[in-house]
Amino acid sequence: MSQQTPQSFPGAGIDKSSPLPYHFQLREIIRAEIASSRWQVGDQLPSEREFCETFNISRTTVREALDALVSEGLLTREKGLGTFVAAPKYMERWSGSVVGFSDSVSEQGYLMETEVLELSILPASHLVRQELYLQRDEKVFFLKRRRFIHKIPILLVISYLPQKHFPALDEIDFTNRSLYETLRQTYGLRIARVKRRIEAIAAGDDETNLLQVDPGFPLMYIENTAFNSSDIPIEHFQAWRRGDRARFEFEYRVSDELAHD
Amino acid sequence: MSQQTPQSFPGAGIDKSSPLPYHFQLREIIRAEIASSRWQVGDQLPSEREFCETFNISRTTVREALDALVSEGLLTREKGLGTFVAAPKYMERWSGSVVGFSDSVSEQGYLMETEVLELSILPASHLVRQELYLQRDEKVFFLKRRRFIHKIPILLVISYLPQKHFPALDEIDFTNRSLYETLRQTYGLRIARVKRRIEAIAAGDDETNLLQVDPGFPLMYIENTAFNSSDIPIEHFQAWRRGDRARFEFEYRVSDELAHD
C-alpha cells in the first residue's frame, strides 16, 4: 500500500453559505479526488486533523463524511494505520451484447476464477419448474459455482438447466469454461432475452461462509431467467454478490408513448 | 395479523436422497407456499417443532432455512410471537415505458407519499458537472426527497437538475407532483434514455435516520442520469432504497452478434 498523502484539493472547498451539510460537501470532494484518479487505490487519505485544518471544519464532520464513504465501499479503514482508497468495485455492464459474468468481467481485464461446488441432476422444485416451464417429473442440472476476482470470492451462483436440453452437461468441467459459452458452442443455444430481478439483502449462513463476509453484510441478490430465440426458458439462476465489490451499469431507452401522456 | 397456521404442504416434501441440503430444500418449499399465495402476508408459520415433525428434520435445519428467509426479507420474526410471512417487497419495473418511482409504484396500486426535505439552488459539484455536462459556474437545483409506501420510508433520493433548463422549478411543490411528470408537462422535456448504476451498500448515518434502519442495514444505491431526446442530460439522481422493501425487475434482449461468436 502506497503511503502517498495528497495534500492539496485543487479547486475544491467547502462552501459555508451553502445549505448542503459540510459532511456531504466533503464526501463529494473526496469522491471527485478518487474519480479523477488524483487519489488512487491504496493511497492513504490525509488524517482527520489535516481535513479539519484544510477545510476549517469539525472532526465530527470529517468522521461523518469518511464513515459514509467507508460504508459505500469507496474507502477502507485499516486498524491503527488510517484510511485508504479502496479497490474499486468491479463494474458489470448489462447491455445488449453482454449477458454473463465472465463476458463482462474478462472484458475489463480482471483475473477471474471459478470453483465448481456442485454439479448434479435433481427433480426441479416448484419455483424452478415455474421459471423453466417444466412438468412435475422433469429434472434439472443443478450447478453451484463460486467465482473469484483477483482471488476474492465475489459471487455465488446456482444455475438450473432443464436436463432434456443439455445431454451430458454434467460431464463438463466448468472450472475453466463459461456456462453461456458452453450453451452456445456445445449445444448451439443462443440466449436472446433475459428477465432479471434484483434486490439488496443481508448475508445468511451459506453466503457468509462462501463469500467470506460477516452475517448481515449487504449482498446483491439476483434471479435471472434466460430465454432462447424461440422464447423458451433455458436457464434460471440465483446469484449472491458481495455488495462492496460489485456494481452494475446499464442503460435503456424509454419508448415514445410517454411523450404524449 | 392473522393467526392462520397452514398445516399441510401439498405436494411438497424433503427428498432425503437428494444432494441438496435439507435446509435448502425447506427454503424452497416455504418460498413455493408464499409464491402460490397459500401462505399470505401476516400468516404465522408453523412452529419449529411442527416443521421438524412434518419433514422429519432437525431443529438446526429448520432454523437455518428460516434464518435465510428472514435475511432475504420474505419472513419476519416478532419477538415472543413467532415467524410470519413478511409484507412483500414492492416491485419496481424498469422497462421501456416506465422511468420513475411514482410511475412504477402507482401502477401497482400502492399508497405512495413524498416528503420534500430540501429544494434549493447550488453550484454543481465536480461529479454533477461531469454527469450533466455543465461548466464550472453553472448551478443546479438540488431536490432531496423522502418517499413512503404505506407510511414506511422506502426511498431517499437527491436529484440534480441544471438551473438553465428549468426556470422557477424551485417554486414547485413536489409533495404531490412527480418530478418526471413535471418535466414533461411544465417544461416539455421528455426522458428518452437513462443510464443507471446499482450497488448494494450498508446504511450510513443519514440513511439510518431517514429510512429508519440500523447502521449497516443493506440498501440498494442507484445513480441515474436521464437524457432527453437530443441526448442532453437533464437530470442526475442518487437514490438509497431499503433493501428489505424494494426489488427491481427488468428485461433485455441480447443482440444477434453473439450467435456467431
Side-chain angles (χ1 to χ4, degrees), chain A residues 190-246:
Chain A
R190 187 175 84 75
I191 291 169
R193 179 170 74 93
V194 298
K195 197 178 79 183
R196 269 188 193 165
R197 283 182 182 185
I198 35 180
E199 304 178 33
I201 68 169
D205 279 352
D206 201 31
E207 300 91 67
T208 298
N209 294 334
L210 290 168
L211 297 177
Q212 297 169 9
V213 293
D214 291 330
F217 193 88
L219 302 178
M220 189 83 93
Y221 174 68
I222 301 178
E223 284 179 5
N224 183 91
T225 304
F227 299 79
N228 71 8
S229 39
S230 313
D231 227 28
I232 292 168
I234 56 175
E235 186 225 19
H236 179 68
F237 74 66
Q238 302 173 283
W240 295 260
R241 274 179 176 76
R242 280 177 59 156
D244 62 336
R245 292 289 165 185

Side-chain angles (χ1 to χ4, degrees), chain A residues 66-75 89 218 244, chain B residues 200-205 207 216:
Chain A
L66 297 180
D67 284 351
L69 293 169
V70 168
S71 292
E72 262 182 52
L74 216 64
L75 299 179
K89 295 191 175 194
D244 62 336
Chain B
I201 68 170
D205 279 351
E207 299 90 67

Side-chain angles (χ1 to χ4, degrees), chain A residues 35-105:
Chain A
S36 70
S37 299
R38 277 190 299 273
W39 290 3
Q40 305 199 344
V41 175
D43 279 357
Q44 183 166 19
L45 263 69
S47 68
E48 291 183 5
R49 200 179 41 76
E50 287 174 274
F51 274 115
C52 297
E53 289 170 2
T54 306
F55 295 106
N56 195 21
I57 48 180
S58 74
R59 190 163 279 217
T60 316
T61 302
V62 173
R63 252 179 227 153
E64 202 169 339
L66 297 180
D67 284 351
L69 293 169
V70 168
S71 292
E72 262 182 52
L74 216 64
L75 299 179
T76 178
R77 273 209 188 91
E78 310 279 331
K79 274 214 180 79
L81 288 173
T83 309
F84 300 85
V85 179
K89 295 191 175 194
Y90 84 89
M91 175 79 83
E92 192 169 322
R93 287 195 186 80
W94 290 345
S95 69
S97 62
V98 167
V99 284
F101 177 78
S102 46
D103 291 324
S104 181
V105 166

Side-chain angles (χ1 to χ4, degrees), chain B residues 214-228:
Chain B
D214 291 330
F217 192 88
L219 302 179
M220 189 82 93
Y221 174 68
I222 301 179
E223 284 179 4
N224 184 90
T225 303
F227 299 79
N228 71 8

